[in-house]
Amino acid sequence: MEDSINGRRCGSARGGIEENVLAILDATDSKDTQDANDDRIAFIEAVRAASIDRDDGAPPTNKMYEAVFQIMRGGKSLELIMESFRLLNELDERFPRAYLSNTGASGSSELAVVEEAWSPFVFNLDITYGEKESAGKSSGGTFDSSVFHLLIQDLVEIVNEKGLQTLEIRSLGKMLLFQYLVNVLEGDLVPRNKAYKETMNWMLLRESLLSMLLSSRRVNYKSLMKDCLSIMCGLCQFSSELSGPKPSDSSVANPSQNVNPAIAIAIPEVRSSTCTAIQKLLTIIMELDVSRKKADAQGCTTRVDGVRTPLVEIILDELTYDRDMLSQFLEIFNEPKWKLEIILQFFSKYVAKPSVRTRRSNGPTEDDGTFTGVLKGFSNITSTKNITKKISIDVVQILLAHAFQAYLSIPPSQQEAEGIFDSKDKVRSDSLVEICENVISAFSNLKRINE
């Protein structure tokens, strides 16, 4: 009885805070004046004071969440967009929608999901595509698969723009919006995936936001992933331009009259963080694919989960037929475990396996699918020549260099982690000296062939 009374008091208090805080925005509506923007900043500060700054702060109501989200989507000043973006991420960190809770002294954990929590994603089959597309174009609409893909397509156009240093506020806002949505997807998937590994309950992942996003029939999954790769490579080109020599009349060093200096300064950072968000999205999708493969093997998946090509296969197809994308992708994708996995699978198409095996060695050898196994394919001139007939020497050198770099970047404590690769042996505890000797031998044989 007492808990019920306290719950009603808490709800009443939150309702009072909501009414007072939202009143700040009532007079602004869609006005784009300095006074209206000041009111929006005051609203953001009020929400932060009530929920973040206080030790006993309560999560905002859904209406307050939605209002902050609308400010970020429709904001026309850099300050508004950045402040609302920062607040939304702070709120998600303080009040996660899904998390693991300890259930006892045994240390076991259980997935806890706040069902009533606000989310920028809504997957409702009763809403028509036209309504969703309209929602995506409005400043306050929620996201589903089709609207999310529209945002990705907008980013492709933004990244491919010629004026890399002269983006509009609206373009920067879309980049930050994408970053926030990826943070939401990651925050929901990571605890679910950890819980799945402990319980092998596929429903935990089937109900994840990422799984529902990708399994929707209203979006072309392969096209979505190819667009993500296109964005990554476009950002790679931009990063190269930034690292190169800058002309004295650079728009960052000397912004033109048509470019806000604050925007010019923010562009490199926002583009860099957008690139990080793309990598994060690709990584959590590949992690979901690994768990899905396990669920498939156990017969836990159904038609509801849809049919989806593993992302690694899509990436390999793109890199195989677009060698320009290959070098750009390897340059900018820096998650070592998955980078090494992609390179190993790329080589697996061209590195021949032993054709003669004794009865004792019948079946996969311990080097199959490992970095050591790939290096052994370059252990002599004959096998090296066979590989370079299918892959150019330049590409082989790039792949081996990035594979070696990725191998060295993986901490020993993570080399035997389950769930990253198909088997624990993908990253073996080989002697580093042996690996280095094999790398030297491989490059020596490539040099001899090229002479």
Side-chain angles (χ1 to χ4, degrees):
M1 181 69 177
E2 184 177 350
D3 290 341
S4 177
I5 294 174
N6 290 336
R8 286 197 296 269
R9 287 176 178 173
C10 182
S12 177
R14 289 183 67 201
I17 294 175
E18 174 189 273
E19 183 177 353
N20 292 334
V21 174
L22 288 177
I24 300 175
L25 296 179
D26 285 346
T28 63
D29 290 332
S30 58
K31 295 179 181 178
D32 185 26
T33 63
Q34 185 59 48
D35 289 341
N37 288 340
D38 290 342
D39 287 343
R40 295 184 180 102
I41 291 293
F43 168 76
I44 291 173
E45 292 175 350
V47 175
R48 178 177 284 110
S51 299
I52 301 297
D53 295 342
R54 296 175 53 180
D55 293 336
D56 60 343
T61 64
N62 287 355
K63 287 184 179 180
M64 294 164 68
Y65 257 118
E66 182 66 30
V68 178
F69 187 63
Q70 287 185 24
I71 290 175
M72 182 177 69
R73 292 198 67 185
K76 295 182 179 180
S77 76
L78 186 61
E79 183 184 15
L80 275 177
I81 295 173
M82 294 298 296
E83 285 301 313
S84 53
F85 170 77
R86 185 163 68 94
L87 177 58
L88 286 170
N89 283 293
E90 289 175 350
L91 290 172
D92 287 352
E93 184 177 353
R94 178 77 179 271
F95 309 106
R97 300 171 183 84
Y99 58 92
L100 294 175
S101 61
N102 295 327
T103 58
S106 62
S108 60
S109 55
E110 183 177 346
L111 180 69
V113 180
V114 185
E115 300 291 349
E116 68 276 11
W118 176 85
S119 171
F121 291 98
V122 173
F123 302 98
N124 188 344
L125 297 178
D126 296 331
I127 302 177
T128 66
Y129 176 80
E131 291 172 334
K132 290 174 179 177
E133 186 175 13
S134 175
K137 293 180 179 179
S138 68
S139 62
T142 51
F143 278 74
D144 80 327
S145 300
S146 56
V147 180
F148 184 78
H149 197 178
L150 288 174
L151 175 62
I152 295 293
Q153 291 172 340
D154 287 342
L155 292 181
V156 172
E157 295 180 2
I158 292 171
V159 169
N160 291 332
E161 286 179 354
K162 294 182 179 179
L164 294 174
Q165 300 283 6
T166 57
L167 294 183
E168 303 172 348
I169 281 285
R170 186 166 172 268
S171 299
L172 290 178
K174 287 185 177 181
M175 289 185 176
L176 291 172
L177 173 60
F178 171 74
Q179 293 174 35
Y180 171 67
L181 294 176
V182 171
N183 289 341
V184 171
L185 293 172
E186 182 190 37
D188 177 71
L189 181 76
V190 170
R192 289 177 180 272
N193 204 24
K194 289 181 179 178
Y196 169 74
K197 292 176 182 179
E198 294 181 3
T199 65
M200 302 308 290
N201 180 3
W202 173 244
M203 284 297 296
L204 299 178
L205 286 176
R206 175 183 290 166
E207 295 174 351
S208 68
L209 294 175
L210 183 62
S211 182
M212 289 188 286
L213 181 73
L214 300 179
S215 61
S216 171
R217 298 179 181 178
R218 297 181 179 273
V219 68
N220 186 321
Y221 168 70
K222 284 189 177 182
S223 176
L224 176 65
M225 294 300 98
K226 289 178 181 180
D227 284 342
C228 288
L229 292 174
S230 177
I231 294 170
M232 175 176 288
C233 293
L235 292 171
C236 174
Q237 181 180 357
F238 173 73
S239 299
S240 299
E241 293 180 8
L242 282 184
S243 61
K246 297 178 178 62
S248 58
D249 59 347
S250 170
S251 60
V252 174
N254 184 24
S256 67
Q257 296 179 352
N258 297 327
V259 180
N260 186 322
I263 298 176
I265 294 172
I267 287 172
E269 177 61 30
V270 173
R271 281 184 174 268
S272 176
S273 55
T274 301
C275 181
T276 300
I278 285 284
Q279 293 188 62
K280 187 185 298 184
L281 177 61
L282 297 179
T283 299
I284 61 176
I285 292 174
M286 289 187 285
E287 291 175 350
L288 178 61
D289 287 342
V290 170
S291 296
R292 179 184 171 122
K293 185 176 181 179
K294 293 180 181 178
D296 284 337
Q298 296 174 348
C300 298
T301 57
T302 65
R303 292 182 179 179
V304 176
D305 301 299
V307 179
R308 191 172 74 247
T309 304
L311 178 55
V312 171
E313 294 183 17
I314 296 176
I315 293 175
L316 286 172
D317 288 342
E318 292 299 300
L319 301 186
T320 300
Y321 297 106
D322 190 339
R323 293 303 164 87
D324 291 335
M325 178 179 286
L326 173 66
S327 58
Q328 292 175 338
F329 177 85
L330 293 176
E331 180 181 342
I332 203 166
F333 189 78
N334 55 20
E335 207 295 318
K337 295 177 182 177
W338 283 110
K339 187 174 188 176
L340 181 58
E341 171 72 356
I342 290 169
I343 295 174
L344 293 181
Q345 289 201 27
F346 190 98
F347 272 125
S348 68
K349 299 180 178 181
Y350 306 104
V351 178
K353 297 180 175 60
S355 57
V356 178
R357 292 181 177 176
T358 64
R359 181 181 303 175
R360 182 172 297 179
S361 66
N362 191 27
T365 66
E366 63 177 0
D367 287 332
D368 283 353
T370 66
F371 188 35
T372 299
V374 168
L375 291 175
K376 286 183 177 180
F378 298 91
S379 59
N380 58 71
I381 295 294
T382 302
S383 60
T384 302
K385 282 184 177 180
N386 290 334
I387 296 173
T388 54
K389 289 178 182 178
K390 303 172 184 177
I391 316 176
S392 69
I393 291 180
D394 290 341
V395 171
V396 170
Q397 290 176 332
I398 291 173
L399 290 170
L400 288 177
H402 280 283
F404 185 48
Q405 181 186 49
Y407 183 89
L408 296 177
S409 300
I410 302 175
S413 60
Q414 297 181 16
Q415 290 189 0
E416 296 181 358
E418 296 184 40
I420 301 299
F421 303 112
D422 293 340
S423 71
K424 292 182 181 180
D425 294 331
K426 284 291 185 180
V427 184
R428 300 174 60 237
S429 56
D430 295 286
S431 165
L432 182 58
V433 174
E434 179 186 356
I435 291 291
C436 292
E437 290 175 348
N438 290 338
V439 170
I440 294 172
S441 175
F443 277 94
S444 296
N445 289 331
L446 289 169
K447 182 178 179 180
R448 291 175 190 171
I449 292 174
N450 200 34
E451 289 177 348

